[in-house]
Amino acid sequence: MAIDRRLFLLGGAGVLLLAGCSTRPERTTVQDWPTDPPDGDVTISWWAGQVASKDGGDLRRRLIAEFRREHPNIRVRIVSAPSDTDTNRTSLTTQIAAGSPTPDVYLGDVAWPGQFAKNKLATPVNELVGADFFEQFPEGLRQAASVDGTYYMFPLYIDESFFLYRQDLLDKHGFQVPRSWEEVKDTAAKLVDTGDVSYGLAFQGDVYEGLTCNVTEFVADAGGSLLNDDLTRPETTSSETKRAFEFMRSLIADGAAPRATLTYQEQDTNDAFSGGRAAFLRNWSYAWGIANGPDSAVAGKVGLAARPTFDGTDEHHSTIGGWGNYINPHTQQPAAALTFARWMSSETAQQFLTREGGVLPARSASLVSEDAKRQNRPTYDTAAGITLVPRPTSTAYYPKVSQGVYQNGNSILGGQASVDGGTRAMASAISLALSGEAL
């Protein structure tokens, strides 16, 4: 599916400062918010970028048509959002912070709740839908969509990372699909030695958000986390985090991953794998379609699995990406906005997305439904068994937290900093970010 790395870039210089906006209308409570659909004809605006369909088109209008089968009195006008996620976020924060009642509903990144909640840019929705509504979604997504137990987003679709491998080369040399990172490293070296590929594993190691995603996953594989449970303290000097960085660094130092990893983003790794230069790839679900597309040198020769983990563990992790619907706290059509945003997370909408979408549905049951099985997509089958690990996006200071991770992480991987020194520097940067003092 045609999703690129911009969906996962938070970008920018951190939390938008809302000084000077004290005159904007405030809606800080939902106690009087109508929870039933409106009776009369209503029009709302939906700020949204394209939602990929399985044929490569845009699913937005078809989703609206399905919604209006149940709610014909609610018209939904699409406002096309900027394709760049950082520009999208900045445009929304400026507009909503000024008190604009539109857009009524906006499709936003799963990484936004912390920042948007702190600055009152999104409506808390727990009390509007019932305590059990969000139980239909995987735990990692629930953590990402909430702040201190309060939800600000109705999930629409998710993304997970996967492990792609050259099945033809494994068969040629009698190798098994690696199940652990240690096996990946060993098999990668052997395949490079055969001369069939130039690189072993391609993953994202540049100084940007994608490295934070990779670090989050490797640290989870080792049994650790970047921050403590309540997101108030860094945990980057733990033995688990150091184990993760030691291994990631060894991939490059020992030649299992190319030195160019330090500059690789998603497209670079896709090019290396689909061009036949790499044996293994860590990337998001859309990479499967690229690897088997008409421009790929390895189409039909590729397998897909959950990311490996370290020896001695059997839980396979992925960080959580994706998008969901937020409600503008200043909307003048609260009943219609809630009806639409909630419907997008309903079983009806999620099953439609399962059948027709080019993305992974957010609802857990949809991934293992009969509709999903009929799609015959390995991403659906595999995704259901992966443990989702959110980045610490529920903190309002996440952009600076992430910056502390990927800047110091790149230095560790490249050998400019030792694992001990780099993780200490990372902890200092995260602590500064969490204090709100980082520029």
Side-chain angles (χ1 to χ4, degrees):
M1 67 182 177
I3 298 178
D4 61 33
R5 65 175 176 261
R6 64 186 179 224
L7 297 184
F8 308 100
L9 301 180
L10 293 173
V15 179
L16 179 70
L17 299 180
L18 302 179
C21 297
S22 59
T23 59
R24 74 184 190 275
E26 293 281 2
R27 180 180 285 154
T28 58
T29 178
V30 294
Q31 292 178 350
D32 299 323
W33 197 292
T35 56
D36 293 327
D39 294 325
D41 291 340
V42 174
T43 298
I44 61 172
S45 57
W46 181 34
W47 173 290
Q50 292 192 1
V51 178
S53 67
K54 65 182 180 182
D55 60 5
D58 181 10
L59 212 59
R60 286 177 298 179
R61 296 193 183 281
R62 294 176 63 191
L63 279 165
I64 291 171
E66 290 296 315
F67 166 73
R68 297 200 67 213
R69 290 178 186 272
E70 296 183 27
H71 302 282
N73 63 314
I74 303 177
R75 295 183 179 275
V76 181
R77 179 174 60 88
I78 295 174
V79 180
S80 291
S83 58
D84 177 77
T85 301
D86 190 36
T87 303
N88 187 345
R89 180 171 62 96
T90 300
S91 299
L92 276 171
T93 54
T94 301
Q95 190 166 329
I96 298 174
S100 174
T102 60
D104 300 280
V105 178
Y106 56 92
L107 190 61
D109 197 307
V110 72
W112 290 358
Q115 301 165 70
F116 279 52
K118 178 179 175 61
N119 293 303
K120 299 185 175 67
L121 303 175
T123 300
V125 296
N126 293 49
E127 298 175 26
L128 303 178
V129 296
D132 59 347
F133 180 89
F134 289 93
E135 292 180 3
Q136 63 183 307
F137 304 102
E139 181 180 357
L141 179 56
R142 297 201 302 269
Q143 294 175 17
S146 62
V147 179
D148 296 329
T150 298
Y151 290 91
Y152 291 87
M153 182 190 82
F154 287 102
L156 179 59
Y157 63 85
I158 62 172
D159 206 357
E160 304 182 18
S161 61
F162 296 90
F163 181 69
L164 277 67
Y165 54 88
R166 288 285 302 277
Q167 183 67 67
D168 60 325
L169 297 185
L170 296 179
D171 292 342
K172 176 181 177 181
H173 298 287
F175 299 148
Q176 298 296 313
V177 178
R179 298 286 296 172
S180 71
W181 285 120
E182 290 83 357
E183 291 175 359
V184 169
K185 186 176 178 180
D186 180 64
T187 306
K190 291 177 180 177
L191 288 175
V192 170
D193 286 344
T194 67
D196 288 324
V197 288
S198 300
Y199 314 140
L201 172 68
F203 70 97
Q204 301 77 39
D206 198 5
V207 187
Y208 83 119
E209 182 67 18
L211 178 54
T212 299
C213 292
N214 278 266
V215 169
T216 299
E217 293 169 346
F218 272 105
V219 170
D221 295 338
S225 59
L226 293 173
L227 272 68
N228 62 340
D229 289 343
D230 58 5
L231 306 183
T232 59
R233 186 180 67 250
E235 298 285 348
T236 59
T237 57
S238 69
S239 59
E240 293 83 2
T241 301
K242 289 181 180 180
R243 179 189 181 187
F245 274 112
E246 290 281 6
F247 183 81
M248 294 177 73
R249 178 172 175 159
S250 75
L251 287 171
I252 298 172
D254 297 343
R259 182 77 184 174
T261 296
L262 300 172
T263 63
Y264 272 0
Q265 297 191 9
E266 278 85 358
Q267 188 58 50
D268 305 304
T269 57
N270 282 334
D271 290 345
F273 186 76
S274 296
R277 301 191 304 276
F280 304 120
L281 169 67
R282 177 269 179 209
N283 212 342
W284 305 97
S285 58
Y286 75 103
W288 172 255
I290 293 176
N292 287 286
D295 298 326
S296 173
V298 298
K301 305 174 183 179
V302 178
L304 180 142
R307 289 177 63 262
T309 188
F310 287 118
D311 280 340
T313 59
D314 56 9
E315 193 170 39
H316 298 270
H317 301 100
S318 167
T319 192
I320 174 71
W323 289 65
N325 286 295
Y326 299 72
I327 299 176
N328 183 345
H330 313 304
T331 177
Q332 298 303 300
Q333 302 294 343
L338 174 62
T339 301
F340 178 67
R342 176 172 51 194
W343 182 88
M344 286 290 202
S345 294
S346 69
E347 180 179 358
T348 301
Q350 291 290 301
Q351 286 302 109
F352 178 80
L353 201 67
T354 302
R355 295 190 302 271
E356 303 297 336
V359 291
L360 296 171
R363 184 173 169 269
S364 297
S366 294
L367 283 173
V368 295
S369 65
E370 290 302 316
D371 281 334
K373 293 175 184 176
R374 281 191 286 268
Q375 302 310 308
N376 194 28
R377 299 186 202 174
T379 50
Y380 279 12
D381 296 338
T382 306
I386 293 175
T387 299
L388 297 177
V389 182
R391 291 158 285 163
T393 53
S394 292
T395 171
Y397 306 108
Y398 176 71
K400 282 297 178 182
V401 170
S402 180
Q403 188 178 80
V405 174
Y406 61 67
Q407 286 182 339
N408 290 286
N410 183 269
S411 295
I412 295 172
L413 267 59
Q416 290 84 13
S418 67
V419 171
D420 284 343
T423 53
R424 285 197 303 270
M426 189 179 297
S428 296
I430 293 174
S431 294
L432 188 64
L434 294 174
S435 72
E437 297 178 8
L439 296 177

